[in-house]
Amino acid sequence: MKLGILSCNLKCYSTRRLREAAEQRGHKVKVLNTTKFAIDLAEGDPDLFFRQKQLSHYDAVLPRIGASITYFGTAVVRQFEQMDIFSANSSAGISNSRDKLRSMQILSRHHIGMPQTTFVRDKKDVLPAIERIGGAPVVIKLLEGTQGIGVLLAETVKSAEAIIELLQSQRQNVLVQKFVAESKGRDIRAFVVGDRVVAAMRRVAQGQEFRSNVHRGGVTESVQLDETYCETAVRAAQILGLRVAGVDMLEGKNGPQIMEVNSSPGLEGIERCTQLDIAGAIIDYIAAQVDFPEIDLRQRLTVSRGYGVTEIHVPEGSDYIGKTVSESGLRDKDINVLTLHRGTTVIPNPRSDRCLEAGDRLLCFGKLELMRDLIPRKTNRKRRQKVRVLPELPVAEEVQGAADGVETTSTKAEKD
């Protein structure tokens, strides 16, 4: 396997360890500075140039995209995907995890434990939002902070209000989260590779510091996670589209609470703490998966006119309850069930004799016109309406006639 490690820092521990692990296993490996790429686009021929030369063939890439180059870095990863080269983490997954609000929005739809979170812009909404998540103390986070930077604890509502107002005045977007008191100064970092947790450590803050990050002086200890914590960490990474991730969780009284999912987790702290070959586990996983590059499923499946992907819910009282996938008649309507979501369980490619239950969600591919009738009315989206001509209404009249060269009051004002 020829592997490219996308990293701007050749000397950092994580990059050196990954290169070392790949070479130990007999793979060809090269560290490629992410900022030195040029992306070329032409009809049917996406290409990459590295240091002014056409990039040679690679079987796989392992992105280590820093926060400061997220936009360009994810564009480079996306180009590798379009060239059908396997990437350990998808460009979409990296983007999802890098924005704390986006990642929480995505996870909130699923049965994943997380601290109550709110996001506001108007000053008038701050106090009601804090009340909705249980009042002070609250944790205030910058959307794109890393290593504990931009994470503040506000002990009172007044201090929270002042901090948020100050940050917003500096054009910073912030999240406000319920403070999980039982986990004060402690969290779990689970290192996910593929569909399993390969290592985990508990980080404990020192002194009066409530942030447990190693970069903030936190002390670590190796831990063996139970099945609930392992399943939560793996599902969070998979939902966001990551194969290699550091999942940070709080130990709440009701179980694991997802705090953050990191797409470029550092190796030094967890390898020192656990004494496990995490870098080797990542390389082994990539070598086993290299023949299965990331595919934008919706993009590929919706190319055919009239076909698409949608999710069909099976509500209470549905005629499908108690019937098997085969008896439902979906396949007779040229509708294929790709996955069946039941609670927190995902059943890929369900068998034809699988019985359907109330609450099931079926991810289907087929003719959109036929699937439209199967979506419950309360979630049924309206068909795309035909675009009509401008109506004779006061605001619309400001631009009516402008296309024919008639100067209206509005266009005359714009010129002035």
Side-chain angles (χ1 to χ4, degrees):
M1 174 180 71
K2 186 176 179 182
L3 173 67
I5 299 174
L6 307 183
S7 173
C8 294
N9 191 346
L10 279 68
K11 295 182 179 180
C12 80
Y13 176 87
S14 298
T15 302
R16 291 186 288 115
R17 270 293 293 130
L18 289 164
R19 180 173 186 168
E20 179 181 66
E23 290 175 342
Q24 180 192 15
R25 287 157 173 76
H27 302 301
K28 294 180 181 179
V29 58
K30 186 173 181 179
V31 179
L32 305 170
N33 188 323
T34 316
T35 62
K36 302 303 179 183
F37 281 96
I39 298 171
D40 278 22
L41 304 169
E43 183 178 344
D45 186 28
D47 205 355
L48 279 167
F49 281 73
F50 183 71
R51 297 187 185 275
Q52 296 84 52
K53 295 181 181 179
Q54 190 173 31
L55 185 70
S56 58
H57 174 74
Y58 281 84
D59 297 304
V61 290
L62 173 54
R64 303 284 303 175
I65 307 298
S68 62
I69 61 163
T70 298
Y71 185 83
F72 185 78
T74 51
V76 171
V77 175
R78 193 181 308 118
Q79 190 75 346
F80 275 108
E81 293 168 354
Q82 300 308 311
M83 295 164 64
D84 289 329
I85 296 172
F86 177 85
S87 176
N89 277 334
S90 68
S91 57
I94 296 169
S95 296
N96 289 340
S97 66
R98 195 52 55 80
D99 184 322
K100 290 184 176 68
L101 175 61
R102 182 188 297 183
S103 64
M104 286 295 178
Q105 285 178 304
I106 294 170
L107 292 174
S108 68
R109 184 179 179 182
H110 302 267
H111 296 281
I112 298 281
M114 64 175 67
Q116 283 183 271
T117 304
T118 185
F119 176 67
V120 297
R121 186 174 181 87
D122 194 309
K123 181 181 177 181
K124 296 178 182 177
D125 293 327
V126 172
L127 291 179
I130 292 175
E131 288 179 10
R132 287 197 300 273
I133 62 174
V138 295
V139 176
I140 301 168
K141 296 181 178 181
L142 295 181
L143 287 192
E144 297 186 358
T146 60
Q147 300 176 351
I149 299 170
V151 179
L152 304 164
L153 175 63
E155 298 281 2
T156 66
V157 173
K158 283 291 184 184
S159 62
E161 191 176 19
I163 292 170
I164 294 169
E165 185 175 350
L166 174 61
L167 292 173
Q168 289 184 337
S169 71
Q170 301 300 311
R171 297 186 177 180
Q172 296 286 349
N173 290 313
V174 297
L175 283 182
V176 183
Q177 286 187 329
K178 181 180 178 65
F179 180 60
V180 182
E182 62 269 26
S183 188
K184 182 178 182 180
R186 301 193 313 168
D187 73 2
I188 296 289
R189 161 60 65 90
F191 207 106
V192 174
V193 178
D195 59 358
R196 65 192 181 109
V197 173
V198 297
M201 63 180 179
R202 179 179 287 112
R203 302 180 296 192
V204 183
Q206 297 300 291
Q208 297 300 309
E209 178 62 71
F210 82 100
R211 295 168 295 181
S212 56
N213 304 70
V214 175
H215 290 85
R216 310 244 71 81
V219 175
T220 62
E221 59 183 19
S222 180
V223 293
Q224 289 290 330
L225 299 181
D226 63 27
E227 187 176 342
T228 301
Y229 277 80
C230 287
E231 182 181 346
T232 298
V234 171
R235 287 189 64 233
Q238 290 178 337
I239 289 167
L240 293 181
L242 298 172
R243 299 183 180 95
V244 177
V247 182
D248 296 338
M249 299 177 284
L250 298 176
E251 298 175 87
K253 59 185 178 183
N254 296 320
Q257 304 280 299
I258 294 291
M259 188 167 56
E260 187 176 353
V261 182
N262 193 323
S263 58
S264 296
L267 299 179
E268 186 173 6
I270 197 161
E271 286 199 335
R272 177 182 286 121
C273 175
T274 64
Q275 295 296 294
L276 295 174
D277 183 8
I278 312 300
I282 295 171
I283 299 300
D284 290 339
Y285 174 77
I286 293 173
Q289 299 292 319
V290 70
D291 293 328
F292 303 98
E294 181 74 15
I295 293 176
D296 187 331
L297 189 63
R298 185 176 291 274
Q299 180 190 76
R300 300 288 179 92
L301 292 180
T302 54
V303 171
S304 301
R305 188 178 180 88
Y307 282 78
V309 182
T310 193
E311 192 172 62
I312 297 174
H313 295 254
V314 181
E316 290 285 353
S318 170
D319 293 337
Y320 289 121
I321 296 174
K323 292 183 179 180
T324 64
V325 173
S326 176
E327 292 169 343
S328 69
L330 292 174
R331 289 179 179 173
D332 296 334
K333 297 178 180 178
D334 202 15
I335 299 172
N336 296 294
V337 181
L338 304 177
T339 61
L340 188 157
H341 292 249
R342 179 171 293 166
T344 60
T345 304
V346 179
I347 305 169
N349 195 25
R351 301 190 314 270
S352 59
D353 59 353
R354 170 79 64 177
C355 278
L356 300 178
E357 299 177 3
D360 284 351
R361 291 178 290 125
L362 310 176
L363 182 65
C364 299
F365 169 70
K367 288 186 177 180
L368 292 173
E369 199 60 42
L370 293 175
M371 290 193 291
R372 198 182 310 278
D373 297 333
L374 303 177
I375 301 174
R377 288 190 177 277
K378 63 179 181 180
T379 60
N380 197 6
R381 297 178 181 178
K382 294 181 179 179
R383 293 185 63 180
R384 184 170 58 184
Q385 298 295 323
K386 183 179 178 181
V387 181
R388 302 177 183 179
V389 298
L390 278 170
E392 293 183 4
L393 296 173
V395 178
E397 287 176 352
E398 293 179 12
V399 296
Q400 282 178 342
D404 300 323
V406 179
E407 190 170 52
T408 64
T409 305
S410 176
T411 54
K412 190 180 294 184
E414 288 176 5
K415 285 181 181 180
D416 295 338

